């Protein structure tokens, strides 16, 4: 049962199949091009799409909008400090701004960062700083079907090897992403994080958490890691932050706000360097990239997000949708995490080769069938072709992510998604692949144009 009731409602659009066919044609079969009012259930992302609590809205109304030294900032700083133990909290407009500021201050060109998996903006910001981002996911992450509890872990063996290897002097940072969004939202165990922290200490390399989904990781630790069974998610989260030198936080996820983030830091000299960049590019340090009201809303969101009954309801919702998906005959990346389900489109649509984008084909079909928006994580996102359109590289898996916005959809919405998944499976042999018609030079999945190809 969701531990909240509805106080404000927002109608969601109900469309006909003919309208959806027309909309898809208009946007050249790219779901990012749809207007939100053409989408019935929007599972594109869990980022900035959650519902605020009544307490958050009213805290926002009481926000202090002073340019310097606002009450909202000091409240926000105290809440971040209690949770993370970091004395410095630099507010930014969203997670990627924290990445840009930290990497500009910490990474001279030519350095290397290591991670369980860099999220795509994290990788982009490392590369923009003239550095190299190396992913070291654990080997268990490669088996999509296994029930391994912590497939988000870093490969400790490869990490130790890298820290002792010939490039060791170039390694400037280790980033642990909790939960690991690039590996299907799988969690990182406290055992893995603790061992990573001691390797980093041994080699004097700073360890930062990409803490976008810290509460969800903590909840999964209490469920899956025996030594933490009797701890609350909040206690696990506090312990995780204390193992690191700082954090990058997109508050749009586990801050349960529509916009916001922060950079948490332990080291004073680094904080001073980052503050200068903050002032130049985001704002004065007591508001950064945000309004005073945002800081108060984040402060409350960071507290509400670790409430056990909230996390329990979120986990139950993900498990419910996972069951419906399996019952419909679609394999998911097992075991399901909390923020999203990842559908194995490659297995569902074996008649569509990678360069005809089976994940994209499934995502388009879910929209056509029921107005559900999802996102492809397959060869449209990660693959490449030569100038004649012939495939060069394919993604390792052809996946579709159904992300679950926080406190937004109820079980009846998920049941509707289940019906649409089942109807889509009935049609699967008739689902066409897609051909790229036009693509931008960078991040092509956002803006490319496609068309269906039969046979
Ligand atoms: N780190 C992780 C693990 C993320 O998932 C994201 C965003 C970011 C950093 C960047 O934060 O959006 O506030 O700048 N993920 C969104 C998603 C976009 O849909 O998964 P941001």
């Amino acid at each position: 049962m969701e531990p909240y009731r509805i106080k404000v409602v927002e109608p969601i659009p109900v469309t006909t199949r003919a309208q959806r066919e027309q909309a898809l044609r208009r946007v050249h079969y790219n779901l990012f091009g749809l207007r939100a009012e053409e989408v019935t259930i929007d599972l594109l992302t869990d980022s900035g799409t959650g519902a605020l609590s009544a307490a958050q809205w009213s805290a926002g109304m009481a926000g202090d909008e002073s340019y310097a030294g606002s009450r909202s900032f000091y409240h926000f700083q105290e809440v971040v400090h209690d949770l993370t133990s970091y004395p410095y909290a630099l507010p930014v407009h969203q997670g990627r701004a924290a990445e840009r500021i930290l990497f500009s201050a910490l990474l001279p060109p030519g350095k290397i960062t290591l991670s369980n998996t860099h999220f795509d903006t994290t990788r982009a910001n490392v590369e923009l700083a003239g550095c190299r981002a190396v992913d070291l996911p654990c080997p268990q992450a490669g088996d999509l079907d296994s029930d391994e509890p912590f497939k988000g872990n870093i490969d400790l063996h490869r990490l130790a090897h890298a820290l002792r290897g010939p490039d060791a002097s170039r390694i400037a940072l280790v980033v642990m992403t909790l939960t690991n969004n690039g590996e299907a939202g799988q969690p990182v165990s406290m055992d893995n994080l603790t061992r990573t922290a001691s390797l980093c200490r041994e080699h004097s390399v700073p360890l930062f958490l990409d803490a976008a989904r810290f509460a969800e990781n903590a909840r999964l630790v209490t469920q899956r890691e025996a030594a933490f069974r009797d701890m609350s998610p909040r206690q696990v989260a506090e312990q995780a932050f204390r193992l690191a030198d700082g954090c990058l936080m997109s508050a749009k996820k586990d801050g349960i706000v529509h916009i916001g983030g922060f950079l948490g830091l332990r080291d004073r000299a680094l904080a001073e360097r980052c503050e200068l960049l903050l002032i130049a590019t985001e704002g004065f340090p007591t508001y950064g990239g945000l309004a005073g009201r945002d800081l108060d809303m984040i402060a409350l969101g960071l507290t509400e997000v670790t409430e056990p009954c909230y996390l329990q309801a979120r986990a139950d919702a993900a498990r419910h949708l996972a069951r419906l998906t399996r019952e419909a005959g679609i394999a998911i990346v097992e075991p399901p995490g909390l923020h999203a389900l990842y559908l194995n489109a490659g297995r569902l649509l074996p008649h569509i080769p990678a360069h005809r984008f089976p994940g994209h084909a499934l995502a388009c079909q879910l929209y056509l069938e029921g107005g559900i928006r999802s996102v492809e994580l397959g060869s449209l996102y990660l693959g490449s072709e030569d100038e004649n359109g012939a495939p060069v590289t394919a993604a390792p898996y052809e996946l579709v992510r159904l992300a679950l916005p926080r406190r937004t959809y109820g079980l009846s919405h998920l049941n509707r998604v289940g019906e649409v998944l089942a109807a889509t499976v009935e049609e699967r042999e008739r689902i066409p692949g897609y051909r790229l018609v036009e693509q931008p030079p960078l991040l092509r999945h956002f803006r490319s144009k496609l068309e269906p190809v039969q046979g």
Side-chain angles (χ1 to χ4, degrees):
M1 181 181 88
E2 292 90 348
Y4 42 78
R5 58 184 176 175
I6 298 165
K7 187 160 180 167
V8 177
V9 296
E10 182 183 21
I12 54 177
V14 178
T15 53
T16 63
R17 188 171 179 122
Q19 286 170 327
R20 296 193 291 271
E21 276 169 1
Q22 200 184 14
L24 259 192
R25 263 199 309 277
R26 191 194 77 239
V27 300
H28 302 278
Y29 300 90
N30 186 331
L31 300 174
F32 283 101
L34 291 170
R35 298 174 70 118
E37 63 221 32
E38 293 167 325
V39 177
T40 303
I41 300 181
D42 205 344
L43 307 183
L44 184 68
T45 179
D46 63 321
S47 181
T49 52
L52 270 61
S53 65
Q56 279 177 297
W57 280 117
S58 58
M61 290 303 288
D64 176 354
E65 304 301 342
S66 304
Y67 189 96
S70 87
R71 186 182 61 245
S72 301
F73 172 74
Y74 289 108
H75 177 220
F76 158 83
Q77 190 182 41
E78 191 183 305
V79 167
V80 171
H81 182 255
D82 279 354
L83 172 65
T84 65
S85 78
Y86 307 145
Y88 305 100
L90 278 51
V92 293
H93 76 278
Q94 63 183 90
R96 63 200 73 182
E99 294 163 3
R100 176 177 48 75
I101 289 172
L102 179 70
F103 301 161
S104 306
L106 198 62
L107 300 179
K111 294 287 184 184
I112 297 172
T113 63
L114 307 176
S115 177
N116 50 345
T117 310
H118 296 80
F119 179 67
D120 54 14
T121 60
T122 321
R123 167 177 293 279
N125 277 300
V126 169
E127 292 172 356
L128 281 171
C131 299
R132 191 151 66 89
V134 178
D135 291 337
L136 302 173
C138 68
Q140 291 82 352
D143 182 350
L144 306 191
D145 302 313
S146 81
D147 258 338
E148 285 285 334
F150 290 107
K151 292 189 206 175
N153 283 350
I154 200 165
D155 185 331
L156 288 166
H157 185 71
R158 287 168 68 204
L159 175 65
H161 195 73
L163 288 168
R164 291 186 192 118
D167 281 337
S169 63
R170 291 171 58 207
I171 298 170
L173 177 67
V174 173
V175 178
M176 191 70 109
T177 312
L178 311 176
T179 55
N180 192 342
N181 194 16
E183 297 292 341
Q186 297 289 318
V188 174
S189 72
M190 288 299 283
D191 180 61
N192 190 259
L193 184 60
T194 306
R195 288 172 196 270
T196 301
S198 56
L199 276 170
C200 287
R201 247 193 326 275
E202 191 185 314
H203 295 272
S204 304
V205 173
L207 169 65
F208 272 69
L209 305 184
D210 176 344
R213 299 180 182 84
F214 73 93
E216 299 182 355
N217 200 81
R219 151 87 197 185
L220 291 165
V221 164
T222 64
Q223 300 300 301
R224 299 183 187 177
E225 195 166 356
F228 295 85
R229 202 160 287 154
D230 296 328
M231 281 172 75
S232 67
R234 167 82 190 198
Q235 288 168 323
V236 174
E238 285 180 5
Q239 195 165 320
F241 283 115
R242 277 158 182 75
L243 287 167
D245 298 294
C247 73
L248 299 153
M249 178 68 192
S250 168
K252 299 174 73 171
K253 284 78 164 173
D254 275 350
I256 328 190
V257 287
H258 298 143
I259 195 74
F262 60 88
L263 176 56
L265 296 163
R266 221 185 263 301
D267 182 75
R268 182 169 169 181
L270 180 59
E272 283 171 0
R273 285 209 304 284
C274 290
E275 253 186 27
L276 294 179
L277 292 162
L278 185 76
I279 295 172
T281 61
E282 291 277 299
F284 188 71
T286 62
Y287 72 89
L290 295 170
R293 61 177 170 276
D294 296 323
L295 296 170
D296 279 309
M297 288 170 163
I298 293 173
L300 263 175
L302 290 175
T303 311
E304 292 175 358
V305 77
T306 52
E307 280 167 13
C309 54
Y310 155 76
L311 285 167
Q312 167 91 47
R314 186 149 170 82
D316 287 347
R319 257 204 308 274
H320 179 70
L321 186 58
R323 191 172 65 242
L324 296 177
T325 308
R326 291 187 206 101
E327 280 169 10
I330 303 179
I332 57 167
V333 179
E334 298 284 358
L338 263 67
H339 87 283
L341 295 184
Y342 291 70
L343 315 184
N344 191 333
R347 193 174 298 164
L348 181 72
L349 305 173
H351 62 286
I352 305 180
H355 70 285
R356 292 286 176 245
F357 311 124
H360 184 74
L362 177 58
C364 285
Q365 197 65 25
L366 295 178
Y367 177 71
L368 272 180
E369 196 67 51
I372 291 161
R373 179 154 67 171
S374 54
V375 68
E376 189 252 19
L377 293 170
S379 292
L380 181 58
Y381 174 51
L382 292 171
S384 64
E385 297 82 38
D386 66 16
E387 53 282 9
N388 303 316
V392 176
T393 50
Y397 314 103
E398 303 295 338
L399 304 177
V400 170
R401 185 180 77 169
L402 302 181
L404 298 169
R406 292 168 183 75
R407 306 192 290 209
T408 303
Y409 294 116
L411 288 188
S412 59
H413 295 110
L414 300 184
N415 289 340
R416 175 70 192 135
V417 175
E419 287 168 15
V420 173
L421 291 169
T424 301
V425 170
E426 291 290 304
E427 295 273 313
R428 71 172 174 276
E429 279 152 23
R430 286 183 292 280
I431 297 176
Y434 285 79
R435 190 174 78 80
L436 269 166
V437 182
E438 229 181 273
Q439 55 173 316
L442 258 182
L443 297 168
R444 67 179 185 178
H445 53 292
F446 288 123
R447 285 286 176 235
S448 52
K449 297 181 178 174
L450 299 102
E451 67 182 17
V453 274
Q454 296 292 345

